[in-house]
């Protein structure tokens, strides 16, 4: 039984605690931590009475805690990741790895110096059956080379604190990881086009946005990010190749015919759409603990996503094509 400590007891943290307690095989939440003690106490009850901490470092150093799940706000990740690596503990960290590429690099260097692959990042789309199938099909070579990808990432609405850069850091960060993983290529440059803004936005948020990414081999990816689309949590992806195209069948719900209409439900909730993927990623992280490996997205993927995100945020400001410049991939992550 892998004894897990969870840092961050907000909505997502509670969701992971519930998942581990009710649906994950071979793991148990033994400790939780949150700066808000009341929140931590409530979360501890979901796990059937786990230990409660208000200091994440104390949780990491607790000898009973074998592995750490970080679900705190992004700005708090770096220190806890470094502390977990120092303690030699395995980590599952929700995106982003850290909020700056420099901090991601520090974590990457610390992990490489420890000699052990300890960190998995929460890019759950890699565990979605449909995307796995697309990746496997592309890899057969039966469709020729991928040339283009068309993606949409739409949310029904967002909070008033959500601003223009968050469209990159919070939302399109999923496509940044997903697309390079699907076609096994890294990014060369990015650009952002800002269409007319919806009346449902506010002065600090340009919405929608069209983000363009070019990979090193020349694949061109367009991502429509529209976070006040009103009608649903609508995620689409098509990979156009030389000999065919692979498109995710969304929405993944039955088509219903009634009263002279055919309709298909679109969920408004990302946790509903990706429930199975979230379950699968945590189960895989737990299963890999015994083998001492990380099979999911790792620290290098987190660093790549951060560098690409920085270039996209710069492109939002300049309106120009911006280069994605990374350090050379360390041998440890090859
Ligand atoms: C949220 O954090 C997510 O991860 C969702 O998938 C995304 O659609 C949303 O925009 C983010 O705020």
């Amino acid at each position: 039984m892998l004894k897990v400590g969870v840092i961050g007891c907000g909505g997502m943290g509670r969701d992971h605690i519930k998942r581990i307690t009710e649906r994950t095989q071979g793991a148990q939440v033994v400790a939780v931590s949150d700066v808000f003690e009341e929140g931590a106490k409530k979360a501890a009850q979901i796990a059937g009475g786990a230990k409660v901490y208000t200091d994440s470092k104390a949780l990491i150093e607790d000898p009973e805690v074998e592995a750490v799940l970080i679900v705190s706000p992004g700005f708090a990740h770096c220190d806890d990741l470094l502390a977990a690596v120092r303690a030699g503990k395995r980590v599952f960290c929700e995106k982003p790895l850290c909020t700056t590429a420099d901090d991601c690099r520090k974590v990457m260097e610390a992990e490489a110096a420890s000699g052990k692959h300890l960190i998995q990042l929460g890019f759950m789309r890699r565990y979605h059956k449909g995307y796995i199938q697309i990746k496997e099909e592309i890899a057969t070579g039966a469709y020729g080379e991928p040339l283009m990808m068309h993606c949409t990432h739409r949310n029904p609405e967002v909070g008033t604190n959500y601003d223009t850069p968050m469209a990159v850091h919070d939302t399109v960060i999923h496509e940044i990881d997903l697309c390079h993983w699907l076609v096994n290529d890294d990014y060369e440059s990015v650009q952002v086009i800002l269409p007319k803004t919806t009346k449902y936005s506010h002065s600090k948020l340009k919405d929608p946005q069209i983000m363009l990414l070019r990979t090193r081999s020349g694949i061109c990816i367009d991502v429509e990010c529209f976070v006040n689309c009103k009608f649903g949590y609508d995620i689409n992806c098509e990979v156009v190749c030389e000999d065919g195209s692979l498109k995710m069948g969304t929405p993944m719900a039955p088509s219903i015919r009634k009263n002279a209409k055919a309709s298909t439900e679109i969920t408004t909730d990302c946790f509903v759409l990706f429930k199975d993927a979230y379950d699968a990623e945590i189960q895989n992280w737990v299963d890999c603990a015994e083998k001492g490996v990380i099979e999911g997205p790792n620290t290098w993927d987190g660093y790549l996503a951060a560098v690409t995100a920085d270039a996209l945020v710069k492109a939002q400001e300049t309106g120009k094509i911006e280069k994605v410049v990374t350090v050379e991939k360390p041998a440890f992550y090859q």
Side-chain angles (χ1 to χ4, degrees), residues 260-281:
K261 271 198 190 118
S263 62
T264 311
E265 189 189 331
I266 299 176
T267 181
T268 54
D269 186 343
C270 63
F271 295 113
V272 171
L273 188 62
F274 288 112
K275 177 174 172 286
D276 291 351
Y278 281 116
D279 285 359
E281 70 170 351

Side-chain angles (χ1 to χ4, degrees), residues 95 153 155 170-171 174 233 270:
K95 52 102 184 160
H153 191 148
N155 290 182
D170 217 42
T171 302
H174 284 293
Y233 182 72
C270 63

Side-chain angles (χ1 to χ4, degrees), residues 11 32 35 44 72 76 78 126 134 156 158 175 185 202 255 314 322:
V32 302
V35 284
S72 50
C78 187
R126 292 192 188 197
I134 291 181
V158 288
E175 277 75 17
D185 200 351
H202 53 83
S255 167
K314 189 166 175 207
E322 300 294 341

